[in-house]
Amino acid sequence: MFHPDLIRHPDSCPTLVLNADYTPLSYYPLSIWPWQTAVKAVFLDRVDIVAHYEREVRSPTRSIRLPSVIALKQYVRPSQFPAFTRFNLFLRDRFACQYCGSTHRDLTFDHVVPRAYGGRTTWENVVTACAPCNLRKGGRTPGEAKMPLHIEPIRPTSWHLQEHGRRFPPNYLHETWHDWLYWDVELEA
């Protein structure tokens, strides 16, 4: 029987990477490796293969089915608090302006207490804002601009960002990944 994996180019066969406890290393961005990295980790005995694609790659002396899901043999402890980056800030704020709630406009970030007032660039003082709201607020506080925040900014934990990341599934999810990922999927009894 013909399987769609058989016509895939190997570069279209990413590998889902699970931690040693069989949970994804991250949800957003999803923890995936290119097939070459996954095959190398298999040969170095750093991972266990959990599931395969039907697609094979061959050398003059070997053939191997490409792994679709692997689990690390050694547990990688996730950091409790994520780095303060633009991407993580947008993820914390669910890719929405914290003033108007828009998700369709060009997003930037805004200092709640403006730097001119001594505001610092920290998790607790920076929020996601669309360009029109950021321009409208200018160098004022939300109170001065009469623009209340939807949610007060906090320093998120890695778990917090992972939970938000589950709301944004990637465009590609191979069927062998579904047992390891949970994006608001209804579970069968």
Side-chain angles (χ1 to χ4, degrees):
M1 182 171 158
F2 176 76
H3 195 280
D5 281 352
L6 296 175
I7 60 170
R8 286 174 169 273
H9 188 277
D11 290 343
S12 298
C13 297
T15 305
L16 175 65
V17 183
L18 306 175
N19 212 335
D21 64 355
Y22 286 72
T23 60
L25 287 177
S26 71
Y27 278 93
Y28 202 84
L30 189 60
S31 50
I32 57 173
W33 286 353
W35 71 270
Q36 299 96 325
T37 305
V39 168
K40 181 179 177 181
V42 169
F43 279 102
L44 293 174
D45 199 32
R46 294 183 179 156
V47 297
D48 290 319
I49 297 173
V50 178
H52 292 91
Y53 288 100
E54 292 299 318
R55 180 73 164 88
E56 289 184 343
V57 290
R58 301 171 198 268
S59 75
T61 59
R62 277 199 153 145
S63 71
I64 181 174
R65 285 175 54 197
L66 293 177
S68 62
V69 181
I70 57 175
L72 300 176
K73 287 193 174 186
Q74 291 199 330
Y75 184 78
V76 174
R77 185 180 179 94
S79 64
Q80 185 177 1
F81 294 102
F84 182 76
T85 65
R86 179 183 294 259
F87 179 82
N88 284 344
L89 175 71
F90 289 173
L91 185 56
R92 179 200 70 185
D93 292 346
R94 297 184 177 116
F95 297 92
C97 175
Q98 295 305 294
Y99 296 109
C100 72
S102 169
T103 59
H104 302 292
R105 297 185 180 182
D106 292 330
L107 293 176
T108 183
F109 65 90
D110 178 61
H111 289 81
V112 178
V113 174
R115 288 189 291 179
Y117 290 4
R120 299 182 62 207
T121 305
T122 63
W123 283 111
E124 296 83 3
N125 191 50
V126 178
V127 295
T128 303
C130 66
C133 284
N134 201 349
L135 187 63
R136 190 173 126 221
K137 179 180 169 283
R140 301 175 290 174
T141 66
E144 292 170 342
K146 296 187 180 13
M147 296 174 66
L149 289 166
H150 284 272
I151 298 172
E152 288 297 315
I154 60 163
R155 180 181 182 196
T157 63
S158 293
W159 179 86
H160 186 192
L161 292 188
Q162 292 293 344
E163 286 301 306
H164 285 203
R166 289 180 193 215
R167 293 187 173 99
F168 302 98
N171 295 331
Y172 173 77
L173 290 172
H174 191 261
E175 64 209 26
T176 58
W177 298 6
H178 290 275
D179 287 340
W180 310 103
L181 303 173
Y182 305 100
W183 267 285
D184 299 329
V185 177
E186 187 174 321
L187 299 175
E188 297 176 13

